Amino acid sequence: MKYFLTSMMLFIYGFHYAQNCDFTLLGEIKDFHDGTPITAANIYIQELDKYIISDFDGKFKIEELCKGDITLVISHIGCETKTVTISISGDVFKTILLEHHIEQLNEVAVKGSSRVKETKTAQETILKTETLEQYSHLNLGDALKEISGVSSINTGNSIVKPMINGLHSSRLLILNNNVRLQDHEWGVEHAPNIDINSADQISVIKGAGALAYGGDAIGGVIVIKPDRIFKKDSLFGKTIIGGQTNGRGYNLTSTLTKSYENGWFASIQGSFKKNGDFKAPEYQLTNTGLQSESISLRTGKSTFKSGFELFYSYINNEIGILASSHIGNVNDLITAINSQQPAIVRDFSYDIDNPRQEVTHHLFKATYFKRFKNFGKVNLQYDYQNNNRLEFDIRRGDLRNQAALDLTLQTHTLLADVNVDVNLDRKLNFGFLGRFQDNLAPNTGVRRLIPNYEKYDFGAYITSEWQINDDWLVDAGLRYDFNRIDAFKYYQRSRWEERGYDIDFPEFEIPRDDISGSNIFTNPVFDYHNISASVGARYDIDIENHIIGNYSLASRPPNPAELFSDGLHHSAARIELGDLRLDPEIANRVSATYKHSGSKLNIAIDVFYNAINNYMYLRPTGVLQSNRGAFPVWEYKQTNANLFGTDLTISYDFTNQFNWLNKTAFIKGYDEDDQPLIDMPAFSTSNSITYSNKDWYNFSASLKSEWVLEQNEFPDFNFEVDNPTTGELQLLDVSTPPPAYHLLHFYTEANFDLNLKSSLNIAVGINNIFDTSYRNYLNRLRYFADDLGRNITLQLKLNY
């Protein structure tokens, strides 16, 4: 045994003696973007359990290394920590790339800190998760009214379209997870098909300050982002359960996310909402129920250098339209508009009868990105959307369950985006877009409001950003878009000739033997070339004060509804007539912002002026009696318009527990004859006082005052109609706005820790505390009924 142990010791000694441990590792640490050296990086050598740092040139040396693997953990302020394993079989030279500007990249923004904005010099406001969760039982348009200058145009209380500085519908771009929403957005009574519970943050950009998204954003851009995924092993989620007294509604939403340290992730989110007939202070709003189901799925892998994502969302909405908004003859129409309450008032019900909408929206997206050293990031994206809209009129017999309007819109989009960030003081971004869209409108037994059409889009843009010094930042951009609309439409020959189309567009007429003499088949084709641009600057006066200035040029071609509408729009309860002669809108918008961010006082003042040539709008022109009833006739017209206004947001912390917040919006709009524009928001201001106590279950309570003045500047589009009962002409007042109103709201919440990883949030709200009767000028159903009365809500949110 003695000889054996001696032999083993000699063998081990000889092995170590024979092993060469004289190898040297020379390394350098550089920035991934521009290759500049990173000085004073910390380098931890796991096998030796020691630290070294890189020198002024980013270089380091490790000597007396043995053959085998060596693991280095490299960290630096402002960098993502990186672990590198290097095989040593001789002297080695190794270049290691770090992302030195990690805090400036959107993908790795720290959760809970201030969110990264989409623009630097445009008027942009961010709604965070905490605010969005308060609107879990409502919709996108309701939540966005938290931002000064953002209002809504409604068809009842369930169809709410956002309005930014007086502009809405096709003038606003809505992006859901970087996909531009395509869902017949042109109609006022077409609410965006978005489940607000799928959003983690929403950016609202006033004006066309984000050319990468589109050049036709005359009103603004709404960017909806899902929850961010972090590279760590985790499983987390939340569930929200809510109920409300008005409409006896209830809602449920849940989200679950799994992520891994290697970058893989998966997430699922679903929601369900149901409301019965809502109630005004004095009566039920019959047939105003809502049922909504939605689900979204995300999966993919994201690392710093590359990644991909697959995303799918589905939403189905069934929405009742106020029963009394559909009338049977001119006398009923006069009575309905002049009456103080709806003509049809029934007991509460969850049933949704005709008139109603059923809308189904599918969205699929696939993206891939890759970073290239000393260059930047390349993004590729394909997305597909399928939007089916059914609108049911009050029809008899076998037609009762057949939609009067049936539209299926399919959209395919390819995007390529390149972000050159070698020098983060001078960024460059450019990209290309191709899109094909097909709208199918099958025969429903009534004249098609919107025809079958195909639409082709191509876009190219370039933007740049210069950080001139610590105080000045400048950006600029240019975009070109080509749009072609190729439509197939039947016209009544009398209307075709009445509007002079036979003289202006004879090339659109297609002779067909199977068409009667009273009809004509046409193939309108329109091509539009659009140029958009923007330039802006930001000046930081000091750490608390800065000024932003921006100019944008936006060009928006007419949409299919503005061109081709020709019949009864059932959910809007009116006849709509488009115009083939409409020219693209050209908007020149100038804006400025002053912001003060202090320890107690915060101020944001936005001012803007928007000159829009060829401004398109709908105006009432009369009444048409049809076999389905008597309906107002609204026609698309054009004028040169000027809009200007101011948005003000002020908050002040009296103490650590008491806060005051004011939001005020003022806007005016006039046509080329200095006459007021239709559908401009009235002056509004809201004030809220909030008490919060973080030491007492993070409790907060707020009382909010909402004051909306009467719109005293409006166009007079009233007209006279024959009253069949009296045989006399009677004025039909469709223009005069309702009186001013004042509402009070209350909201309170508290948060309870259940364990180290779970918490329960309980929130109670009371809207319209005093059950005030009022009508909003921008509610299309204000002619027939009051807005909502008191509503008490209870919400439970479980984080886990």
Side-chain angles (χ1 to χ4, degrees), residues 160-387:
V160 184
K161 290 186 72 76
M163 174 183 276
I164 300 177
N165 292 148
L167 302 175
H168 58 86
S169 301
S170 292
R171 298 185 182 95
L172 304 185
L173 308 188
I174 300 177
L175 289 104
N176 182 16
N177 195 8
N178 204 47
V179 177
R180 177 170 175 170
L181 197 63
Q182 304 285 342
D183 63 349
H184 305 102
E185 76 275 9
W186 52 74
V188 168
E189 60 293 323
H190 299 175
N193 287 299
I194 295 290
D195 177 12
I196 195 172
N197 294 290
S198 66
D200 179 62
Q201 93 170 46
I202 298 179
S203 294
V204 175
I205 303 165
K206 299 173 182 176
L211 292 181
Y213 297 130
D216 52 345
I218 288 178
V221 182
I222 300 169
V223 183
I224 302 168
K225 292 185 177 182
D227 200 5
R228 289 165 295 174
I229 307 296
F230 298 93
K231 291 194 301 180
K232 61 180 181 180
D233 291 327
S234 65
L235 178 66
F236 59 93
K238 67 179 178 182
T239 297
I240 297 176
I241 302 173
Q244 52 183 315
T245 58
N246 199 329
R248 305 181 193 177
Y250 51 91
N251 61 284
L252 169 68
T253 182
S254 191
T255 305
L256 185 64
T257 301
K258 173 62 179 173
S259 62
Y260 299 88
E261 191 173 357
N262 60 10
W264 283 95
F265 65 89
S267 179
I268 183 171
Q269 181 270 332
S271 297
F272 178 80
K273 302 177 186 178
K274 188 175 182 64
N275 291 289
D277 292 336
F278 289 91
K279 187 178 183 301
E282 303 296 332
Y283 43 78
Q284 289 288 152
L285 300 171
T286 299
N287 199 51
T288 55
L290 162 72
Q291 181 167 312
S292 176
E293 305 102 14
S294 67
I295 189 171
S296 63
L297 305 166
R298 294 173 66 203
T299 187
K301 183 178 182 180
S302 180
T303 64
F304 175 73
K305 290 187 177 181
S306 64
F308 75 94
E309 179 183 321
L310 301 176
F311 173 74
Y312 169 76
S313 72
Y314 163 84
I315 186 168
N316 176 261
N317 291 322
E318 184 177 11
I319 305 170
I321 306 297
L322 182 71
S324 58
S325 67
H326 280 230
I327 43 268
N329 54 59
V330 174
N331 186 57
D332 290 344
L333 176 61
I334 295 171
T335 302
I337 291 181
N338 293 333
S339 175
Q340 293 302 307
Q341 72 174 41
I344 302 173
V345 177
R346 302 191 183 104
D347 292 338
F348 172 86
S349 175
Y350 282 106
D351 295 335
I352 299 176
D353 201 355
N354 298 342
R356 61 189 171 91
Q357 296 181 5
E358 288 186 16
V359 185
T360 303
H361 190 87
H362 300 266
L363 185 157
F364 170 77
K365 181 190 83 165
T367 61
Y368 174 78
F369 76 86
K370 185 172 179 59
R371 295 184 188 275
F372 298 90
K373 63 181 180 181
N374 300 327
F375 178 69
K377 180 181 176 183
V378 176
N379 299 273
L380 301 175
Q381 177 175 309
Y382 164 78
D383 58 78
Y384 166 76
Q385 295 178 71
N386 183 303
N387 191 82

Side-chain angles (χ1 to χ4, degrees), residues 493-525:
R493 186 174 293 275
S494 58
R495 181 161 289 167
W496 180 262
E497 294 175 352
E498 169 195 302
R499 301 182 74 81
Y501 292 159
D502 58 326
I503 297 174
D504 292 341
F505 305 107
E507 70 276 13
F508 292 164
E509 300 181 18
I510 308 296
R512 289 182 58 168
D513 296 334
D514 58 338
I515 298 178
S516 66
S518 61
N519 292 313
I520 184 172
F521 181 70
T522 65
N523 178 208
V525 179

Side-chain angles (χ1 to χ4, degrees), residues 359-512:
V359 185
T360 303
H361 190 87
H362 300 266
L363 185 157
F364 170 77
K365 181 190 83 165
T367 61
Y368 174 78
F369 76 86
K370 185 172 179 59
R371 295 184 188 275
F372 298 90
K373 63 181 180 181
N374 300 327
F375 178 69
K377 180 181 176 183
V378 176
N379 299 273
L380 301 175
Q381 177 175 309
Y382 164 78
D383 58 78
Y384 166 76
Q385 295 178 71
N386 183 303
N387 191 82
N388 178 239
R389 166 172 289 275
L390 302 174
E391 297 185 3
F392 295 84
D393 195 7
I394 299 176
R395 307 172 81 179
R396 309 300 179 188
D398 295 337
L399 296 177
R400 173 179 173 79
N401 295 318
Q402 182 177 352
L405 185 145
D406 184 345
L407 299 175
T408 298
L409 188 70
Q410 297 188 81
T411 308
H412 302 264
T413 305
L414 284 173
L415 293 169
D417 178 85
V418 179
N419 185 7
V420 181
D421 53 8
V422 174
N423 182 350
L424 290 180
D425 290 334
R426 295 180 183 177
K427 295 180 183 178
L428 181 68
N429 181 239
F430 61 91
F432 306 92
L433 170 147
R435 177 179 293 126
F436 170 72
Q437 187 173 88
D438 172 69
N439 184 70
L440 178 64
N443 183 17
T444 62
V446 297
R447 179 170 298 277
R448 296 177 177 91
L449 176 67
I450 303 295
N452 294 341
Y453 70 83
E454 294 179 347
K455 187 169 181 285
Y456 306 85
D457 301 315
F458 171 79
Y461 63 88
I462 182 169
T463 63
S464 187
E465 176 185 309
W466 300 275
Q467 186 71 53
I468 298 175
N469 53 42
D470 291 340
D471 299 328
W472 279 97
L473 181 142
V474 177
D475 62 17
L478 182 67
R479 183 179 178 110
Y480 165 78
D481 286 282
F482 168 78
N483 313 106
R484 164 170 286 193
I485 298 179
D486 188 350
F488 302 91
K489 179 172 175 59
Y490 293 91
Y491 277 94
Q492 292 176 318
R493 186 174 293 275
S494 58
R495 181 161 289 167
W496 180 262
E497 294 175 352
E498 169 195 302
R499 301 182 74 81
Y501 292 159
D502 58 326
I503 297 174
D504 292 341
F505 305 107
E507 70 276 13
F508 292 164
E509 300 181 18
I510 308 296
R512 289 182 58 168

Side-chain angles (χ1 to χ4, degrees), residues 684-727:
S684 63
T685 185
S686 68
N687 291 274
S688 61
I689 295 290
T690 301
Y691 168 79
S692 58
N693 189 334
K694 293 184 178 180
D695 296 329
W696 194 62
Y697 304 105
N698 207 20
F699 172 83
S700 69
S702 64
L703 183 65
K704 180 179 179 180
S705 162
E706 179 185 357
W707 185 28
V708 179
L709 272 63
E710 181 177 347
Q711 177 57 277
N712 56 14
E713 292 191 326
F714 58 93
D716 184 0
F717 291 146
N718 298 330
F719 49 86
E720 292 184 328
V721 297
D722 289 321
N723 189 321
T725 302
T726 64

Side-chain angles (χ1 to χ4, degrees), residues 40-55:
N42 288 305
I43 306 163
Y44 174 64
I45 310 164
Q46 286 189 352
E47 286 75 10
L48 302 180
D49 191 23
K50 64 178 292 189
Y51 286 89
I52 61 173
I53 63 171
S54 60
D55 63 16

